[in-house]
């Protein structure tokens, strides 16, 4: 079984490989092909994987290539984890937005739109290549903004693309843990769009345990989302929002947090990751150790501005040992390859799940996964205010897809202007100018 990783020189690849190394079962991945545009990054990551594999019998083989067609031809699974414009691009997304006083986060608000506008054309090209070169392959999309990019790809390869994110999984794990349940056994009632969803129930032992959480303020503020939003607001909502909703519910504070930070997240990671790849340029650098120290620092500072704005303090130790993405990705592959049914929160086409959206809109929802792919499960409708946000943001995503398709600048302006976190059409116009100036990849907008 072969797995191709696009963005194979990317920093998170060793997490995926670690998960693969632990899989000893029949039908597991035996070959990994790393594809990246940058040969030096590929070489650095390949060295980390080689150290991970040392001493593991039958470790999956690893090959590297900068040729996309070669990487895709005949493969069984594709992980797409690319970053168009690199971390320099992410830092520019933040900078341009903050200069206008709006959020520039990589997936939410103006920053997410800019990132989507330059990523969608590349993702569509990949989907087309997959359709030609590996028509039976399953594509697992990690590339952000994950919901939007998954929808763009689904227009070309249908339900063979499945989008993943670790934030609903992390949320479910934290809430189950606080309630004394096993996260792998609990059913997590969660729905929305990627980075825009709400947990409304969590069932184990045949009972919804969430009312217990709302009854006890101490429990409610004992985990990441509880600290971010505060018990009172969670009670008002009657649900636990995804951590990314902090950018909506506390928009002023998060924008100010970003503005006052010494460096934005993207700028910090740009410098931190550059140091990692520079160190790896020395052939004698201890690959795994260098990588793991960089990873630990990255995890510890995740969403630091939001936690600071909310006075939420340090991240919990158990939240810092990743295990989100790669676990979900491996679970999807297992369920598909061995037809072992699994329930996972994924980004898939809506079909009839949320009646306010059309069938092709990609949403994030618990899915039942088997050899035929991921099937969204029935969930209760969202309340009015959440439905409003989901519909607004989906409308924005559709304008981004339309702009990427037509190359229309006016459509790109419409995408920014309609976003609930962009407060003026004039701001939207200046954002398009600013982003076009910062990103050569947006020259197509005319
Ligand atoms: C979470 C999100 C991902 C995102 C990542 C960013 O895991 O679910 O979509 O890529 O955070 O973390 P970073 O360390 O890059 O700020
Ligand atoms: Mn995510």
């Amino acid at each position: 079984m072969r797995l191709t990783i696009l963005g194979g020189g990317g920093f998170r690849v060793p997490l995926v490989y670690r998960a693969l190394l632990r899989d000893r079962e029949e039908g597991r991945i035996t070959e990994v092909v790393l594809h990246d545009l940058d040969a030096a990054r590929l070489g650095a990551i390949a060295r980390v994987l080689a150290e991970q594999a040392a001493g593991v019998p039958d470790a999956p083989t690893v090959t590297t290539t900068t040729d996309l067609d070669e990487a895709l031809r005949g493969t069984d699974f594709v992980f797409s984890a690319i970053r168009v414009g690199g971390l320099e691009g992410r830092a520019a997304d933040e900078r341009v937005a903050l200069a206008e006083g709006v959020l520039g986060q990589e997936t939410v608000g103006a920053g997410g739109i800019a990132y989507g506008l330059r990523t969608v054309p590349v993702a569509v090209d990949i989907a087309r290549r997959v359709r030609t070169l590996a028509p039976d392959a399953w594509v697992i999309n990690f590339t952000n903004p994950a919901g939007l990019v998954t929808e763009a790809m689904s227009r070309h390869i249908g339900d063979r693309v499945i989008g993943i994110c670790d934030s609903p999984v992390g949320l479910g794990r934290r809430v189950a843990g606080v309630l004394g349940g096993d996260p792998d056994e609990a059913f997590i009632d969660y729905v929305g769009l990627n980075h825009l969803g709400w947990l409304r129930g969590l069932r184990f032992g045949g009972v919804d345990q969430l009312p217990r959480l709302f009854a006890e303020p101490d429990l409610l503020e004992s985990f990441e989302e509880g600290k971010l939003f505060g018990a009172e607001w969670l009670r008002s909502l009657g649900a636990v929002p995804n951590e990314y909703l902090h950018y909506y519910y506390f928009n002023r504070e998060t924008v100010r947090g970003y503005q006052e930070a010494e460096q934005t997240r993207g700028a910090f990671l740009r410098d931190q990751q550059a140091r990692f790849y520079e160190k790896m340029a020395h052939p004698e650098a201890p690959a795994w150790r260098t990588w793991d120290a960089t990873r630990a620092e990255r995890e510890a500072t995740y969403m630091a501005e939001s936690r600071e704005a909310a006075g939420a303090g340090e991240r919990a130790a158990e939240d810092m040992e990743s295990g989100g993405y790669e676990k979900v990705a491996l679970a999807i592959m297992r369920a598909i390859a061995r037809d072992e049914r699994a329930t996972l929160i994924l980004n898939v086409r809506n079909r009839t799940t949320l009646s306010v959206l059309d069938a092709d809109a990609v949403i994030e929802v618990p899915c039942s996964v088997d050899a035929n792919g991921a099937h969204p499960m029935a969930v209760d409708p969202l309340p009015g205010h959440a439905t409003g946000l989901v519909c607004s943001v989906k409308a924005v995503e559709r304008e981004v897809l339309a702009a990427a398709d037509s190359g229309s600048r006016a459509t790109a302006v419409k995408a920014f202007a309609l976003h609930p976190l962009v407060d003026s059409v004039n701001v939207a116009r200046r954002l398009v100018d600013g982003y076009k100036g910062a990103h050569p990849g947006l020259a197509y907008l005319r």
Side-chain angles (χ1 to χ4, degrees), residues 12 83 87 90 94 105-107 115 142-146 164-168 194-195 242-244 247 258 265-266 268-269 272-273 298-299 301-303 315 324-325 364:
R12 289 204 174 92
R83 185 177 282 285
L87 285 163
R90 179 170 172 183
E94 296 166 336
Q105 204 275 336
E106 67 163 340
T107 62
Y115 191 23
F142 300 59
T143 300
N144 269 325
I164 67 173
C165 177
D166 58 340
S167 63
N194 177 235
H195 293 184
N242 183 294
E243 58 194 347
Y244 282 78
Y247 296 117
Y258 252 78
R265 180 68 176 162
F268 166 76
L269 289 175
Q272 191 226 23
Q273 302 269 297
R298 181 178 191 159
E299 295 294 341
T301 52
Y302 174 68
M303 271 196 140
R315 253 189 127 192
Y325 283 110
E364 195 163 80

Side-chain angles (χ1 to χ4, degrees), residues 179-414:
L179 291 167
D182 175 352
D184 296 328
E185 298 300 321
F187 177 76
I188 297 154
D189 174 355
Y190 177 97
V191 72
L193 304 183
N194 177 235
H195 293 184
L196 189 80
W198 294 261
L199 183 151
R200 297 97 43 84
L202 192 137
R203 280 192 286 283
F204 57 85
V207 196
D208 181 9
Q209 308 277 346
L210 208 59
R212 232 172 6 100
L213 182 71
F214 285 101
E216 290 184 46
D218 288 353
L219 280 189
L220 203 42
E221 291 196 356
S222 67
F223 61 101
E224 182 81 11
E225 288 77 4
K227 290 178 189 156
L228 276 179
F229 297 104
E232 192 189 320
W233 182 237
L234 294 187
R235 282 230 189 92
S236 298
L237 288 173
V240 187
N242 183 294
E243 58 194 347
Y244 282 78
L245 273 150
H246 198 248
Y247 296 117
Y248 289 84
Y249 293 139
F250 294 87
N251 185 253
R252 272 178 195 225
E253 291 81 358
T254 50
V255 170
R256 200 179 309 130
Y258 252 78
Q259 282 169 332
E260 287 171 0
E262 205 175 302
Q263 262 190 322
T264 57
R265 180 68 176 162
F268 166 76
L269 289 175
R270 175 197 60 203
D271 297 349
Q272 191 226 23
Q273 302 269 297
R275 284 195 296 277
F276 165 74
Y277 288 101
E278 265 160 36
K279 281 185 195 148
M280 292 298 293
H282 300 284
E284 66 283 3
W288 191 83
R289 213 151 32 85
T290 309
W291 174 81
D292 195 52
T294 312
R295 180 201 60 78
E297 186 188 31
R298 181 178 191 159
E299 295 294 341
T301 52
Y302 174 68
M303 271 196 140
E305 295 84 3
S306 295
R307 276 183 285 113
E308 167 103 23
E314 306 271 291
R315 253 189 127 192
E318 59 274 22
D319 291 338
M320 291 198 275
E321 33 162 283
S322 331
Y325 283 110
E326 62 280 11
K327 270 200 196 152
V328 185
L330 192 69
I332 299 175
M333 289 197 298
R334 279 187 180 163
I336 291 177
R338 296 171 206 155
D339 200 17
E340 278 169 17
R341 193 171 289 269
T343 302
L344 301 163
I345 299 174
L346 299 169
N347 288 268
V348 296
R349 293 196 283 189
N350 176 49
R351 296 175 178 105
T352 55
T353 315
L354 290 179
S355 63
V356 290
L357 296 177
D358 59 77
D360 295 337
V362 165
I363 62 168
E364 195 163 80
V365 64
C367 293
S368 160
V369 192
D370 57 26
N372 295 315
H375 321 283
M377 299 169 79
V379 289
D380 290 337
L382 285 164
H385 97 277
T387 295
L389 270 181
V390 162
C391 290
S392 298
V393 173
K394 183 52 76 181
V396 169
E397 291 185 0
R398 291 280 163 82
E399 298 301 336
V400 172
L401 294 174
D405 209 31
S406 65
S408 158
R409 179 185 183 277
T411 308
V413 169
K414 195 172 170 194

